[in-house]
Amino acid sequence: EATVLFDALNIRFEDDLDEGETLAVTTVARLRGRPEAARHLIETACAVAEADGGLDHEEREAILRLCEILEADPRDYGVADGD
């Protein structure tokens, strides 16, 4: 199911970036209030972003956006300002 959802989001991004982003945010927001699931998503995003040896500006901003959507503290993931 996750692969199907990922593929659908990917197609939306390719067809219409704004629509794809809106759908992605809506999908991620469903995890709000589910701290364990939110933590897993953010930790996975951090691991993927750091897989090439570092966290670049765009990756950091994407993780900060996840934290914002999920009402998570970015300090818990080492991406807050000053970290």
Side-chain angles (χ1 to χ4, degrees):
E1 183 179 330
T3 303
V4 172
L5 181 57
F6 178 81
D7 289 341
L9 286 172
N10 217 11
I11 290 168
R12 292 278 179 97
F13 274 108
E14 290 174 3
D15 291 345
D16 183 335
L17 182 60
D18 291 333
E19 182 182 336
E21 185 173 343
T22 298
L23 181 58
V25 168
T26 301
T27 301
V28 168
R30 291 180 186 156
L31 298 179
R32 194 178 299 133
R34 296 174 54 197
E36 188 74 12
R39 183 180 60 79
H40 283 299
L41 176 62
I42 296 168
E43 286 176 350
T44 300
C46 288
V48 170
E50 294 172 345
D52 62 358
L55 190 67
D56 68 29
H57 178 74
E58 282 184 0
E59 293 166 334
R60 182 178 172 278
E61 291 299 314
I63 293 167
L64 286 170
R65 181 72 174 122
L66 283 175
C67 289
E68 177 185 339
I69 293 166
L70 296 170
E71 300 173 345
D73 188 342
R75 293 176 295 188
D76 293 341
Y77 305 96
V79 294
D81 290 333
D83 282 346

